[in-house]
């Protein structure tokens, strides 16, 4: 209804230079016009027009900028640019370089050339790795922005397909030293991995698959000839066709993974790998530990271990060297490889610290062994137990960490498991009659298939009913535990449960197009998006490892020279060591006790669990930024219709002022309103159907010159007559006289919290309608709870003042703004922000979109329009008002957990490093052995992940449970 007028009002009218067909007052060639994109940024931090000038000039100085205009009132920057020379990420960085915060709201290039791909990345160990990959991807020409999640081990990349392809992105990640696997592309393509059973797999298979319509590429997976990856257009072909191809050969194909399913198998493989490495390391480390620290107290065994084999080299040293060597170089090879990759790209990560620490212990021990073998009087100690125990404890920590990280994404796994494993595929003849059926793998369903859904079975894919009647439980999508009636023509959603009847469903959406896949993708994108608080860990990670190495070296030198210069008593030195070895132990302990991993995991693991818990409760939070802002909200602006009210208005009274029948009157009104998306318009159309013989699917008269006037109503020509339906402002602007009896009916409706609607025919008032939209049962209680949370509630509506005030009094809202147009709603949000409030906007309609974007946190009701949901930061899937409280409470709990994680991670390093350096040793004579320091380091990462996992126990406020019970009682009454 309002999308056209809103777009013109917001962009075209306000800034004529930025209209799609106007470029700074001059004409451009077609080739230049094709290379022009438009981006709109939200800019935070501007206080007056003086702030805009420097930012505007900074943007205009960039190469490839056609025009830039800063809108101080709406905190927006609108830019025309050539994507061949510059991308939106560079523009955003320029704005932030001027001291402001910027985030992309709109990019017209998205319509034609911007794609989003997701890449699984193996080999990341800490924040330094993820930051490096982000930097490499962002520096790639054509990449708009990139987010890398250490916890999720994935990257989401927005790129211009005209300048770069996903193959190049994979190459860039691999050139940085990591393994990259494509999960999905934004090119309307789906990906499936097929496992081939048979002896001979050659290029002929690839040729057969590539010959199928819709297949884009086929490749053998990761150097093996037993798994094939197929990239295809899901609206042209599908996995069932691929499997059938193998029927022409002696081979057999089964589905190995589809898209997101590969993550779990990948994680399980990583868990198994760390488990095997840990077991083998433990097997080799136990003899080293026993010979170094236990058997020395058993006389007869100690005698055997001290037996001199060559010169001063004894049996114990040979055993320890023999068992420690495979731990250091074979089992610990991954740390060498990780260090090599990190140093090659000019950075340092956790692997570098581990490799340096274990190498120092191992090679000093090896030196000690060689000296003992070649000397008749050398006496020295080896530290083989330090290097091997260190690696063993770190592998144990990594094993526990990977298992714990897997649990943070349980929400996604549960969502993906909602669809059934199998489905019944029907065969139809040309007349649509069923000729046969077969049970197939649920992943083999293709677009336009017809499937049979039995009672008690989940719907296998999105589609619509072509035969049968039943009731379907859609609680997995809506959160409402109610059965929804389904009959011919009704849409059904994959993963919902068929309750009683048999349905035949024609499949319309599969794979990444399905509603369930879109929710999964939304949750995954939220988990990939970084919270601003993560910037702290990113900044620390850049310098962490070099600083730790410097502290470690300084510690070793300080203790070494202190010993040589006799600055401390020789009694401080353990009997089995000298001053050099004591200093070396302190240096190694510092190097291995430091843990950047805990810092890197503090935020993303909590965000992952928080967004996952939110999704399970029907609150979809679009990323860490929304989660962070939501916990600071102290003012909430509510729309009225569909937000505070049920959003299902009904016509309760009609008064005709001219001589015509109700049927004729409603025919004209319904024909005008049927083109509008407004809930009041739908209520009028539904009421008008009662006066028609063809009530099920009425054919309304043809409409000409339809115009939606935002905030006022609609206007059109029907049967040669000008019809206007709307409020008093609409009538006044067009010179329509409102008689006294109509004014009285409007006043009466407003007192009863009803909306009065006026209808004119040829500029003469013809009728008055009263429409009632009952309040949601929980509205008053929700507003009361928000007051107890010190959150101010405000209602902003396009409805008249009388109705608005009546609704506000009923729910307990003190501040009201009525008869507001979309632009005025957004301006009210800006006004509140300028007053120091952190504002959340809750709405459901197209006319709420500008305010949802302008607010610090936009919350869209799940039953609202796609435009509102797209503009919002948080989507309330159940459409329950109490979920506003759940969203804010969950964000507060999540950020309390993030703060706790940071306190632990930073506190651990700030306390652990000085203790490892021996700061307390002069007074306590207690030191931190390197193997214990390594165990503490591994435990710190695991403890942070486990801390985040405690969020899985989140329970929404108890007061909401009581509220839900009262709602049920009200509905029953």
């Amino acid at each position: 209804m309002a999308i056209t007028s809103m777009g013109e009002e917001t962009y075209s009218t306000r800034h004529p230079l930025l209209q799609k067909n106007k470029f700074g007052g001059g004409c451009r060639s077609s080739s230049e016009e094709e290379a022009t994109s438009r981006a709109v940024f939200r800019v935070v931090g501007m206080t007056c027009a003086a702030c805009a000038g420097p930012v505007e000039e900074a943007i205009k100085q960039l190469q490839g900028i056609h025009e830039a205009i800063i809108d101080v009132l709406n905190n927006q920057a609108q830019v025309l640019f050539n994507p061949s020379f510059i991308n939106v990420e560079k523009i955003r960085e320029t704005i932030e370089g001027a001291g402001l915060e910027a985030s992309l709201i709109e990019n017209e290039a998205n319509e034609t050339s911007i794609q989003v791909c997701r890449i699984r990345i193996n080999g990341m160990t800490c924040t330094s790795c993820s930051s490096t990959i982000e930097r490499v991807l962002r520096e790639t020409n054509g990449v708009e922005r990139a987010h890398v999640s250490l916890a999720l081990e994935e990257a989401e990349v927005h790129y211009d397909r005209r300048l770069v392809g996903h193959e190049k992105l994979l190459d860039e990640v691999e050139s940085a030293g990591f393994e990259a696997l494509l999960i999905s592309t934004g090119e309307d393509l789906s990906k499936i991995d097929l496992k081939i059973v048979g002896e001979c797999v050659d290029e002929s298979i690839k040729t057969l698959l590539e010959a199928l319509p819709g297949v884009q590429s086929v490749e053998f997976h990761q150097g093996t000839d037993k798994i094939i990856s197929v990239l295809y257009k899901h609206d042209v072909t599908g996995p069932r066709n691929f499997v059938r191809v193998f029927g022409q050969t002696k081979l057999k194909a089964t589905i190995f993974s589809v898209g997101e399913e590969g993550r779990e198998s990948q994680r399980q493989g990583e868990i198994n790998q760390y488990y095997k490495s840990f077991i083998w390391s433990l097997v080799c480390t136990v003899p080293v530990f026993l010979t170094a620290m236990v058997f020395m107290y058993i006389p007869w065994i100690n005698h055997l271990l001290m037996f001199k084999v060559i010169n001063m080299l004894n049996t114990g040293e040979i055993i320890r060297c023999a068992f420690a060597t495979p731990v250091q170089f074979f089992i610990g090879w991954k740390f060498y490889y990780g260090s090599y990759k990190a140093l090659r790209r000019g950075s340092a990560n956790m692997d570098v610290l581990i490799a340096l620490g274990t190498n120092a212990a191992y090679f000093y021990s090896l030196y000690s062994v060689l000296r003992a073998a070649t000397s008749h009087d050398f006496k020295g100690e080896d530290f083989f137990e330090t290097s091997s125990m260190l690696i063993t404890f770190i592998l144990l920590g990594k094993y526990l960490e990977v298992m714990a990280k897997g649990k943070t994404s349980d929400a996604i796994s549960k969502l993906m498991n909602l669809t059934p494993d199998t489905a019944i595929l029907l065969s139809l003849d040309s007349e649509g009659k069923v000729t046969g059926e077969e049970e197939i793998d649920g992943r083999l369903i293709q677009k336009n298939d017809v499937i049979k859904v039995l009672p008690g079975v989940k719907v296998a894919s999105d589609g619509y009913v072509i035969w049968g009647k039943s009731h379907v439980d859609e609680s997995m999508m809506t959160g409402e535990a109610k059965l929804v009636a389904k009959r011919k023509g009704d849409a059904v959603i994959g993963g919902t449960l068929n309750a009683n009847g048999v349905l035949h469903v024609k499949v319309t959406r599969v794979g990444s197009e399905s509603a369930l896949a879109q929710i999964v993708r939304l949750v995954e994108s939220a988990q990939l998006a970084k919270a601003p608080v993560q910037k702290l860990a990113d900044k620390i990670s850049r310098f962490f490892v070099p600083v730790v190495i410097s502290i470690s070296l300084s510690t070793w030198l300080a203790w070494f020279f202190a010993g040589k210069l006799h600055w401390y008593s020789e009694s401080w030195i353990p009997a089995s060591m000298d001053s050099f070895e004591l200093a070396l132990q302190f240096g190694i302990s510092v190097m291995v006790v430091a843990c950047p991993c805990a810092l890197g995991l503090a935020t993303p693991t909590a965000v992952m669990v928080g967004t996952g818990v939110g999704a399970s409760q029907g609150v979809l939070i679009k990323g860490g930024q929304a989660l962070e802002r939501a916990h600071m909200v102290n003012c909430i602006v509510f729309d009225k219709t569909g937000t505070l009210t049920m959003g299902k208005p009904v016509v309760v009274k009609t008064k005709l002022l001219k001589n015509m029948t109700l049927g004729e009157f409603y025919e004209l009104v319904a024909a005008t309103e049927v083109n509008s998306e407004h809930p009041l318009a739908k209520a009028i159309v539904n009421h008008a159907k009662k006066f028609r013989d063809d009530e099920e699917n009425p054919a309304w008269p043809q409409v000409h010159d339809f115009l939606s006037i935002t905030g006022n109503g609609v206007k059109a020509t029907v049967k040669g007559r000008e019809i206007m339906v709307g409020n008093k402002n609409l009538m006044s602007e067009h010179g329509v006289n409102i008689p006294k009896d109509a004014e009285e009916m409007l006043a009466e409706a407003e007192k009863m919290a009803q909306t009065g609607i006026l209808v004119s025919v040829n500029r003469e008032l013809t009728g008055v309608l009263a429409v009632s939209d009952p309040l949601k049962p929980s509205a008053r209680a929700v507003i009361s709870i928000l007051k107890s949370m010190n959150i101010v509630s405000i209602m902003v509506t396009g409805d008249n003042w009388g109705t608005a005030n009546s609704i506000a009094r009923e729910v307990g809202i003190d501040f009201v703004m009525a008869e507001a147009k979309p632009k005025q709603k957004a301006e009210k949000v800006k006004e509140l922000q300028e007053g120091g409030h952190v504002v959340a906007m809750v709405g459901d309609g197209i006319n709420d979109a500008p305010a949802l974007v302008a607010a610090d946190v936009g919350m869209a009701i799940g039953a609202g329009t796609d435009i509102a949901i797209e503009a919002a930061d948080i989507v309330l899937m159940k459409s329950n008002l109490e979920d506003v409280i759940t969203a804010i409470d969950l964000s507060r709990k999540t950020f309390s957990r993030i703060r706790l994680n940071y306190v632990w991670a930073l506190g651990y390093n700030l306390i652990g490093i000085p203790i490892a350096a021996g700061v307390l040793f002069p007074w306590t004579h207690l030191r931190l052995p390197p193997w214990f320091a390594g165990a503490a380091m591994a435990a710190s990462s695991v403890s942070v992940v486990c801390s985040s996992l405690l969020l899985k126990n989140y329970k929404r406020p108890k007061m909401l449970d009581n509220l839900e019970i009262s709602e049920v009682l009200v509905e029953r009454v």
Side-chain angles (χ1 to χ4, degrees):
M1 166 177 135
I3 188 169
T4 303
S5 58
M6 180 189 77
E8 291 171 356
E9 184 178 355
T10 306
Y11 302 124
S12 302
T13 305
R14 186 178 300 145
H15 296 303
L17 289 175
L18 294 179
Q19 293 182 40
K20 292 183 181 180
N21 297 321
K22 296 181 182 179
F23 297 92
C27 296
R28 297 182 183 272
S29 66
S30 59
S31 61
E32 195 172 358
E33 190 169 319
E34 286 174 6
T36 300
S37 295
R38 173 174 164 274
V40 182
F41 297 87
R42 178 192 293 157
V43 183
V44 179
M46 294 188 293
T47 56
C48 62
C51 301
V55 180
E56 197 169 291
E57 287 303 314
I59 297 173
K60 288 179 178 178
Q61 288 175 8
L62 297 172
Q63 183 182 11
I65 299 295
H66 297 318
E67 185 58 84
I69 293 180
I70 307 298
D71 181 357
V72 179
L73 176 63
N74 291 285
N75 284 349
Q76 288 186 0
Q78 304 186 52
V79 186
L80 291 178
F81 64 98
N82 188 330
S84 300
F85 292 95
I86 193 169
N87 58 37
V88 293
E89 184 65 20
K90 179 63 177 176
I91 299 171
R92 187 189 64 78
E93 289 175 357
T94 301
I95 297 172
E96 293 193 340
L100 304 172
E101 292 184 21
S103 57
L104 184 67
I105 298 174
E106 176 187 348
N107 182 6
E108 275 184 8
N110 287 338
E111 299 173 6
T112 55
S113 62
I114 299 300
Q115 302 290 353
V116 182
C117 76
R118 286 178 39 238
I119 302 170
R120 183 176 297 116
I121 300 173
N122 298 328
M124 293 190 295
T125 57
C126 64
T127 316
S128 176
C129 299
S130 58
S131 299
T132 298
I133 297 171
E134 269 190 6
R135 175 173 52 80
V136 168
L137 289 171
R138 287 173 178 172
E139 290 174 355
T140 304
N141 184 38
V143 172
E144 297 286 349
R145 62 181 184 271
H147 298 294
V148 179
S149 169
L150 173 64
L152 204 58
E153 296 180 331
E154 286 184 12
E156 183 178 82
V157 188
H158 296 244
Y159 64 99
D160 189 336
R161 64 182 178 187
R162 298 173 300 184
L163 303 176
V164 68
H166 59 263
E167 299 90 351
K168 172 67 174 174
L169 301 177
L170 295 175
D171 291 341
E172 289 293 334
V173 174
E174 291 182 348
S175 67
F178 299 91
E179 183 184 354
L181 299 172
L182 183 68
I183 297 175
S184 65
T185 73
E187 302 168 0
D188 288 329
L189 299 178
S190 294
K191 177 175 176 281
I192 188 171
D193 294 332
L194 300 172
K195 189 171 185 179
I196 313 304
V197 180
E199 293 300 323
C200 182
V201 181
D202 54 28
E203 288 293 322
S204 63
I205 297 298
K206 185 176 180 180
T207 305
L208 285 172
L209 289 171
E210 287 178 336
L212 292 175
V215 173
Q216 299 297 299
S217 68
V218 180
E219 58 182 342
F220 294 117
H221 193 267
Q222 294 185 10
T224 174
D225 59 357
K226 294 295 183 180
I227 298 175
I228 292 180
S229 293
V230 184
L231 214 58
Y232 64 96
K233 291 187 176 181
H234 53 71
D235 56 345
V236 178
T237 187
R240 196 163 67 252
N241 294 340
F242 308 150
V243 173
R244 285 174 179 167
V245 164
F246 289 90
Q248 306 170 19
T249 68
K250 295 180 180 179
L251 302 173
K252 182 181 178 183
T254 57
I255 295 178
F256 180 70
S257 69
V258 182
E260 290 83 359
E261 293 178 18
R263 182 197 292 112
E264 187 55 36
S265 60
Q266 176 69 32
R267 179 168 287 120
Q268 194 57 49
E270 190 177 8
I271 289 172
N272 293 338
Q273 182 184 13
Y274 273 117
Y275 178 74
K276 290 178 181 177
S277 296
F278 166 68
I279 292 300
W280 279 111
S281 183
L282 183 65
V283 167
C284 293
T285 300
V286 167
V288 177
F289 171 76
L290 292 175
T291 56
M293 308 183 75
V294 177
F295 289 161
M296 58 187 295
Y297 298 107
I298 303 175
W300 67 273
I301 297 181
N302 184 51
H303 179 73
L304 293 175
L305 294 176
M306 297 302 294
F307 176 76
K308 301 293 189 295
V309 179
I310 304 174
N311 293 327
M312 300 298 292
L313 178 64
N314 59 48
T315 309
E317 290 172 329
I318 295 174
I319 293 173
R320 288 191 289 276
C321 182
F323 280 99
T325 299
V327 174
Q328 183 71 31
F329 297 108
F330 294 99
I331 299 171
W333 168 250
K334 56 170 60 66
F335 301 118
Y336 285 101
Y337 184 60
S339 301
Y340 164 73
K341 291 190 297 182
L343 295 173
R344 191 184 68 176
R345 59 179 182 264
S347 63
N349 61 5
M350 194 67 229
D351 289 335
V352 174
L353 292 178
I354 296 170
L356 285 174
T358 56
N359 275 341
Y362 178 84
F363 282 107
Y364 175 77
S365 301
L366 187 62
Y367 161 78
S368 178
V369 166
L370 294 176
R371 279 292 307 275
T374 57
S375 172
H376 295 286
D377 56 359
F378 175 78
K379 291 184 179 181
E381 287 293 322
D382 65 83
F383 299 128
F384 286 121
E385 78 282 357
T386 295
S387 62
S388 56
M389 288 175 69
L390 187 55
I391 289 174
T392 301
F393 277 117
I394 289 170
L395 288 173
L396 173 61
K398 283 292 182 184
Y399 168 67
L400 296 174
E401 181 185 323
V402 171
M403 284 205 303
K405 279 163 62 179
K407 295 182 184 298
T408 62
S409 57
D410 278 354
I412 293 177
S413 301
K414 289 177 181 177
L415 284 171
M416 289 167 52
N417 289 333
L418 285 174
T419 52
D421 295 330
T422 61
I424 299 175
L425 178 68
L426 298 179
S427 301
L428 306 179
D429 60 19
S430 57
E431 297 179 356
K433 295 180 180 179
V434 177
T435 58
E437 62 180 55
E438 65 171 317
E439 188 175 52
I440 63 170
D441 189 316
R443 296 171 296 181
L444 295 178
I445 297 173
Q446 297 177 185
K447 198 171 182 178
N448 296 321
D449 281 346
V450 176
I451 57 175
K452 180 179 180 181
V453 186
L454 300 173
V457 175
K458 290 181 179 179
V459 180
S461 194
D462 294 1
Y464 62 91
V465 178
I466 61 172
W467 179 89
K469 292 182 180 180
S470 184
H471 288 80
V472 175
D473 180 2
E474 295 185 345
S475 59
M476 54 76 68
M477 289 293 294
T478 65
E480 297 290 340
K482 297 178 182 176
L483 295 177
V484 181
K486 299 292 180 182
R487 57 183 177 180
K488 186 176 179 180
D490 289 341
V492 291
I493 304 170
T496 55
L497 182 66
N498 182 27
N500 39 41
V502 177
L503 296 175
H504 291 179
V505 176
K506 185 165 187 177
V507 176
T508 56
R509 296 190 297 183
V510 295
S512 59
E513 276 192 329
S514 69
L516 186 59
Q518 289 173 16
I519 292 176
V520 169
R521 192 158 56 247
L522 180 61
V523 175
E524 288 178 329
S525 295
Q527 294 178 344
L528 278 165
K530 286 186 178 179
V533 71
Q534 176 68 20
K535 291 178 182 177
L536 172 64
D538 291 343
K539 288 178 181 177
I540 293 175
S541 70
R542 295 176 194 170
F543 312 105
F544 188 90
V545 173
V547 168
V548 168
I549 292 173
S550 300
I551 294 173
S552 174
L553 184 61
S554 300
T555 298
W556 174 71
L557 289 173
W559 279 100
F560 175 70
F561 284 115
K564 288 296 181 183
L565 298 173
H566 304 290
W567 287 356
Y568 60 82
S569 171
E570 290 188 6
S571 63
W572 289 13
I573 304 174
S576 59
M577 295 185 190
D578 59 23
S579 61
F580 174 85
E581 292 169 344
L582 179 65
L584 183 64
Q585 287 247 335
F586 280 128
I588 294 173
S589 293
V590 169
M591 197 172 296
V592 297
V593 80
C595 184
C597 301
L599 278 172
L601 293 169
T603 296
T605 52
V607 169
M608 281 182 69
V609 179
T611 52
V613 169
S616 67
Q617 302 219 8
V619 179
L620 295 183
I621 303 170
K622 298 181 181 179
Q625 191 169 8
L627 198 64
E628 180 168 347
R629 288 199 300 259
H631 91 283
M632 298 183 289
V633 167
N634 54 23
C635 177
I636 299 182
V637 177
F638 288 96
D639 176 46
K640 179 180 74 70
T641 305
T643 303
L644 290 172
T645 63
M646 296 295 291
K648 297 176 181 177
V650 291
V651 177
V652 294
K653 189 174 182 180
T654 307
K655 184 173 184 177
L656 296 181
L657 305 177
K658 298 294 180 183
N659 188 21
M660 65 168 56
T661 65
L662 281 173
E664 184 183 358
F665 172 77
Y666 271 110
E667 182 181 50
L668 297 174
V669 176
T672 305
E673 290 280 33
V674 76
N675 295 297
S676 173
E677 288 293 323
H678 199 283
L680 296 180
K682 292 180 180 179
I684 293 171
V685 173
N686 288 333
H687 188 70
K689 290 178 181 179
K690 298 176 182 179
F691 303 96
R692 303 278 299 193
D693 295 330
D694 54 345
E695 185 178 341
E696 282 294 321
N697 191 21
W700 303 111
Q702 191 171 1
V703 175
H704 301 281
D705 304 322
F706 175 82
L707 178 64
S708 172
I709 303 165
T710 307
N712 285 337
V714 295
K715 175 184 172 185
T717 301
V718 183
K719 290 186 173 181
R721 291 184 275 187
E722 183 190 66
I723 311 296
M724 288 191 294
V725 184
N727 56 22
K728 286 164 62 174
N729 288 339
L730 179 66
M731 300 302 159
S732 299
E733 288 175 4
H734 291 80
V736 178
N737 182 49
I738 303 174
K740 186 176 180 180
D741 52 350
E743 291 274 14
E744 289 175 353
M745 183 174 172
L746 287 176
E748 183 184 349
E750 290 174 4
K751 286 180 183 178
M752 300 177 67
Q754 297 171 354
T755 302
I757 298 175
L758 302 173
V759 179
S760 74
V761 179
N762 291 333
R763 310 251 168 154
E764 289 188 12
L765 200 67
T766 307
V768 183
L769 311 178
V771 180
S772 175
D773 187 7
L775 278 174
K776 288 182 176 176
S778 61
R780 184 174 182 84
V782 167
I783 300 302
S784 176
I785 293 170
L786 289 173
K787 283 183 179 178
S788 70
M789 297 169 68
N790 296 320
I791 296 176
V792 178
S793 297
I794 297 173
M795 186 175 77
V796 178
T797 176
D799 212 336
N800 62 76
W801 278 99
T803 303
N805 283 324
S806 297
I807 292 289
R809 281 193 300 271
E810 198 169 342
V811 299
I813 290 178
D814 300 322
F815 305 99
V816 181
M817 181 179 180
E819 298 179 8
K821 295 180 180 179
K823 179 181 176 182
Q824 292 170 323
K825 290 183 179 182
E827 288 172 349
K828 181 62 178 177
V829 169
K830 296 294 180 186
E831 182 185 323
L832 291 166
Q833 290 171 328
E834 289 169 3
H837 290 95
V838 179
V839 183
M841 170 70 193
V842 186
D844 70 326
I846 292 173
N847 59 344
D848 297 320
L852 287 168
V853 171
D856 296 289
V857 180
M859 297 187 188
I861 300 296
T865 63
D866 291 342
I867 300 293
I869 291 173
E870 184 66 28
D873 301 301
I874 297 174
V875 182
L876 311 178
M877 291 295 294
K878 300 180 190 176
S879 300
N880 288 342
L881 207 53
E882 54 265 35
D883 283 341
V884 172
I885 296 171
T886 301
I888 293 173
D889 184 65
L890 176 60
S891 70
R892 290 179 176 181
K893 293 288 197 315
T894 301
F895 266 81
S896 294
R897 184 61 54 180
I898 288 174
R899 290 190 192 99
L900 181 63
N901 287 351
Y902 270 123
V903 167
W904 167 249
L906 287 169
Y908 164 80
N909 283 289
L910 292 174
I911 295 172
I913 291 175
I915 292 175
V919 170
L920 301 179
F921 187 73
W923 297 278
T924 64
H925 291 277
L926 293 176
R927 59 188 177 85
L928 206 63
W931 64 267
F932 189 85
M937 182 271 289
S940 69
S941 295
V942 177
S943 64
V944 165
V945 177
C946 291
S947 171
S948 295
L949 283 173
L950 291 175
L951 279 171
K952 295 179 77 173
N953 299 322
Y954 170 81
K955 303 291 183 185
R956 65 182 195 160
K958 290 183 179 179
M959 61 188 83
L960 294 184
D961 295 328
N962 298 330
L963 189 60
E964 197 171 75
I965 293 171
S966 65
E967 272 189 62
V968 173
L969 293 175
V970 169
E971 287 180 4
R972 288 179 179 176
V973 171

